[in-house]
Amino acid sequence: MSRTDTSKVSRWDLHGRAHTVRVQRTGVQRTLRCDTCGWRASARFLPWPKAQEHLTRAHQATVDPSNPNRRVPRVPNARPPVPDH
């Protein structure tokens, strides 16, 4: 009987929202599933770069929350400040 293991790849987008792709392993086969959009894919070897690529392309999530020097970039204000007259 095959053993099942699960890991995850998490990234934050520029708005500070967390996005996660879970990697489930059964034997040599790995299944990737995005918690945010439900995207699924399979990978036989090295699924983590594929998960990172999905997070970058689909969600613009590039900030690694496991990095001790992390800093979530601030999104600039949508409208410019009103000048004082």
Side-chain angles (χ1 to χ4, degrees):
M1 186 156 109
S2 295
R3 191 172 132 211
T4 301
D5 292 320
T6 303
S7 62
K8 65 181 180 177
V9 176
S10 297
R11 296 290 183 266
W12 291 340
D13 63 19
L14 294 177
H15 299 284
R17 292 181 294 238
H19 300 274
T20 302
V21 172
R22 298 194 187 275
V23 179
Q24 184 177 10
R25 184 182 80 171
T26 305
V28 295
Q29 185 63 39
R30 289 164 174 87
T31 303
L32 292 79
R33 183 180 52 83
C34 181
D35 288 351
T36 304
C37 68
W39 169 83
R40 289 178 180 259
S42 62
R44 189 164 182 147
F45 300 106
L46 297 174
W48 302 279
K50 196 171 189 178
Q52 290 175 3
E53 181 181 353
H54 169 74
L55 292 172
T56 300
R57 289 180 184 231
H59 305 293
Q60 290 76 44
T62 58
V63 180
D64 186 354
S66 66
N67 183 354
N69 298 323
R70 71 180 181 244
R71 207 174 89 201
V72 177
R74 300 280 173 170
V75 176
N77 291 338
R79 51 186 168 162
V82 177
D84 294 330
H85 290 290

